[in-house]
Amino acid sequence: MEGYLVFDMGGTGVKYAVCTGEGEIVKKGTCEAYPDDFDQLLESMGRIFDAQQKEYSLSGIAISSPGFVDQRRGIVHGLSALPCIHEFPVAKALSKRMGGLPIAMENDGNCGCLGEYWKGRGKGRQNVVTLVYGSGIGGGYVKEGKIGQTRRFCSSEFGFMPLIYENGRYRSWSSYSVVNTVNRFNEEQQKNLTGEELFWLAETDEKAREYIERFYYYMAAGCLSVSFAFDPDIILIGGAISRRPDLKARLEEKLVQLKQEDEAFGYSDTEVDTAALGNDANLYGALYNFLYLERCKLEG
């Protein structure tokens, strides 16, 4: 079978999949990541390539990568959980290890957004934003089916936005990620809760409820900021938080509250929802990116 090998690189592991050109995942798995040793990371991914090449006729390699990705030069800038891939032609090295096959890399947040645009809840929309909640807040922006390559390749790093002003200083939006919210609660209350446990506790504990209310408030404030900056058709919330059945209702409740605080906020009518593809979003998006770039080459 002809197919494509897709990797989603992260600091704790590398997901991979063999996909058809229509985006069907026919096989997937994981391999070990080596954040500080590129030679070992290259060999770990190379062994996956060797095994899949024996079973499938591979036409290309698609990669979702952390960091600020310069697609044209195949170089990753900025900071990420995989420091060993930064500031050298990493795409060229990967392609050489994998038989010289064509390769395309894109930022993982952008890949997640492309995946939702192609196969998830963004399907059929022209302009889509995803916000991925975890240790920080990442995301992506797809405009009419493609990612815009900006000057420093970091146009969708929403978590870096100075959204919050507390105690005489600005804080980034990521300071109210799930992980950072629970870390602050644990430090203040001398607890050792997980994020999920904090949300459960908020149903009965006033202090925990205060933290969760603030979490949703800043999620809504960030969504409004993104809405006015990009005017997307839909904003999709991803990460483990997206599995909470009440997330959409709680977010919409806070959006209504904010729109009552300032008349200008009411001019945002962007739809919000949860992302649909879970851990596979980056795989779908990386493949879409590869296929899109290959099509652009053929069309000149």
Side-chain angles (χ1 to χ4, degrees), residues 231-250:
D231 194 24
D233 300 316
I234 192 168
I235 297 172
L236 298 170
I237 310 298
I241 185 71
S242 67
R243 296 196 293 268
R244 291 196 60 80
D246 64 342
L247 183 143
K248 183 178 178 180
R250 295 295 302 277

Side-chain angles (χ1 to χ4, degrees), residues 30-43:
T30 61
C31 65
E32 191 167 353
Y34 296 88
D36 300 309
D37 191 327
F38 179 71
D39 289 339
Q40 290 198 69
L41 174 64
L42 181 65
E43 191 52 35

